[in-house]
């Protein structure tokens, strides 16, 4: 299910395309889930009813103002079996695997109020647009993507399902990312470049030409020098 | 004509320095024009009365909620001959050439409401400040510039006419860019560095010393490696 | 003194943790002080009562709407001897030295209204969070730090006292910066990397592994090429 976002309608509240969601389960208890919980706090339409995590040591703990109510099997209990879920998982492959195993549930789209969404933008289910991210006119973002803090998705670009555009990374106009791609923090993709599925543009690197699937695009690494004698 | 921006006055509306503009012609029909049309949508003071593009295949089509009403010669028809124009053209040389050929028209300054403009900032006619861009205290930006999504122009920096600071690029304090410079996406210019006219800091590169006119500043290119065997 | 920021409470006003401050002395008269004065303008709770700078040539001049009322010795005059001070000084070592020499004064925390602060974030006294910066859930920022325009401090990261995360730089999650570190404009630090005190990640460089104290992390430098024959 893709959701068509037009203008500002995403900026002050979450949109599911179906109905207003008030209760949601957060799947995951790590740092990315914590950051997403702040997005939910600022959207104000949502309430995190509980956190789902398979780790036994976390059960019953309170995270992001909610309790870890159990692992995956808990999702099929009465009262939880139809509730909307958000996958607060940063790793693309893990997020994709879990999303597929939970087919049939509702995955809302979360857009932070400070994000800028152009016209004719589509956002797939389960995707989060983090604070200050920008998605320009005509871009299409797939399902279960992360458009992270301050990232830019240029006009007419396409982001495949389960991909992650990290903090302050930039896709210029007309970029095409396959599924499960990772653009590291500060990474850049030049206009009209296509990146195959499961590829990675490493942090701070610039993809100036297209790359096949399952490849790395890497700039020369940094080095560490002693600053001065002690 | 330079316009002095002071404080928040640019943030909720467009400013022309002369009068309130309500009708505007967009010159150009590509991706940058589409992104600028979203800026106009969010400023709310403007109405795009029509799109001008020389391409015969686009005539009569509807773009960004407006109709392509003709090519350049149409600008001199009754009713259009005094209307304000915005050049929605990403290429610096093309934008400069067209601006000069249209001398005498009014070119408004467009500042997105989410942009942050410091005090004592000046912005030249026909310049657009895109979402989330920051222009710090005392900076001077010339005419027909693009300060793109999330870009930073540091305190006291100067940006020459027809230059383009791309998405998430950063000019530190006291930078001096000549006319028609391009700072690529994610590019950086260190404090007090001067870049001559018609020069390019390529995407993701760092200009750590001054450069003459008509030069490239380029970091070593990225490479593509196979990620793992299939 | 650390201040616990929770939710949006920092976004529309300054917080001192003690009381509402209305009058403040700006220490420093350079470009960074000018940019900070714009933050104060936008916070609206503050009034800059005067500027302190040791340079004789600046005495009596009007900067950022306020007068340079004298050098450091002036701070101990009647009426100024208990006033809150903000150190508008970009250099980490200088800022640290002056902060220590002024022990016992009140140093407010300044957070621009457009900054995004997650839950469970702590900010030390004298720290400024510039426009559009993001500090994610659970991050701890020390005293007298600069989190500059558009910078991102990821979830659970720690920034040591007197450090500076420059414009559009990104700390991923779980990063640990020591005291007096400088992350240059556009610089990136990967998840869980630790950078020792007094170290520098130069502009546009990526720290992909930990570094000891007093070291540089530098990517290969850019080069300058002639663009084309004149």
């Amino acid at each position: 299910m893709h959701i068509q976002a037009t203008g500002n309608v995403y900026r002050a509240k979450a949109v599911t395309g179906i109905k207003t969601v008030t209760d949601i389960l957060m799947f995951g208890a790590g740092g990315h889930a914590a950051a997403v919980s702040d997005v939910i706090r600022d959207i104000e339409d949502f309430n995190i009813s509980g956190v789902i995590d398979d780790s036994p040591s976390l059960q019953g703990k309170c995270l992001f103002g909610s309790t870890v109510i159990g692992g995956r099997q808990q999702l099929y209990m009465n009262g939880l079996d139809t509730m909307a879920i958000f996958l607060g998982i940063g790793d693309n492959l893990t997020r994709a695997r879990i999303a597929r195993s939970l087919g049939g549930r509702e995955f809302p789209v979360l857009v932070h109020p400070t994000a800028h969404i152009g016209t004719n933008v589509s956002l797939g289910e389960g995707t989060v647009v983090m604070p200050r991210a920008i998605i320009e006119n005509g871009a299409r973002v797939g399902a279960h993507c992360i458009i992270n803090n301050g990232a830019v998705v240029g006009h007419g670009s396409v982001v495949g399902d389960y991909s992650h555009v990290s903090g302050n990374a930039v896709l210029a106009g007309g970029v095409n990312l396959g599924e499960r791609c990772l653009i590291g923090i500060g990474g850049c993709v030049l206009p009209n470049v296509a990146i195959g599925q499961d590829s990675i543009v490493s942090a701070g690197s610039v993809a100036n030409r297209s790359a096949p699937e399952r490849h790395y695009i890497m700039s020369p690494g940094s080095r560490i020098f002693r600053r001065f004698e002690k």
Side-chain angles (χ1 to χ4, degrees), chain A:
Chain A
M1 178 192 69
H2 269 73
I3 293 166
Q4 188 75 16
T6 309
N8 290 340
V9 296
Y10 277 26
R11 301 182 66 181
K13 57 183 179 113
V15 172
T16 69
I18 299 178
K19 57 176 179 181
T20 301
V21 174
T22 50
D23 290 304
I24 190 174
L25 294 170
M26 175 69 77
F27 195 113
H32 178 60
V36 170
S37 76
D38 282 341
V39 174
I40 291 173
R41 175 198 72 179
D42 292 345
I43 289 176
E44 296 178 349
D45 276 4
F46 280 112
N47 172 51
I48 301 180
S49 300
V51 178
I52 299 293
D53 196 281
D54 287 340
S55 164
S57 65
L58 290 173
Q59 306 309 315
K61 293 216 168 144
C62 184
L63 297 172
F64 353 119
S66 305
T67 306
V68 181
I69 58 174
R72 208 168 313 185
Q73 74 294 341
Q74 203 73 18
L75 289 174
Y76 303 99
M77 307 290 281
N78 274 346
L80 301 182
D81 52 357
T82 59
M83 202 175 279
I85 299 175
F86 197 86
L87 303 180
I89 296 164
D91 181 69
N92 289 344
L93 291 179
T94 306
R95 196 167 64 255
R97 188 170 43 75
I98 294 175
R100 284 190 292 250
S101 78
L102 297 176
R105 302 296 283 246
E106 181 174 354
F107 300 106
V109 177
L110 302 178
V111 180
H112 194 268
T114 62
H116 172 76
I117 311 289
T119 49
N120 301 316
V121 165
S122 69
L123 301 171
E125 60 174 2
T127 282
V128 60
V129 184
M130 302 289 286
R132 270 185 29 213
I134 292 174
I135 305 181
E136 282 197 333
N137 197 301
R140 287 186 290 131
V141 177
H144 298 286
C145 291
I146 304 169
I147 309 299
N148 223 321
N149 304 301
V152 176
V153 176
H155 45 77
S157 290
V158 175
V159 177
D161 295 345
Y162 314 110
S163 287
H164 180 179
V165 183
S166 300
N168 281 0
V170 184
L171 309 184
V175 165
N176 197 313
L177 294 191
E179 298 190 359
R180 295 173 301 278
C181 283
L182 172 61
I183 311 298
I185 51 175
C188 296
V189 184
L190 292 197
N192 305 314
V193 165
I195 306 287
Q197 64 180 40
D198 298 297
S199 287
I200 293 176
V201 175
S202 70
S205 296
V206 179
N208 55 14
R209 58 191 196 284
S210 295
E213 62 181 51
R214 290 177 178 272
H215 278 65
Y216 282 109
I217 294 92
M218 304 182 76
S219 292
S222 59
R223 294 175 60 192
I224 303 179
F225 302 92
R226 188 173 305 188
R227 190 168 162 197
F228 37 63
E229 297 302 316
K230 280 183 273 192

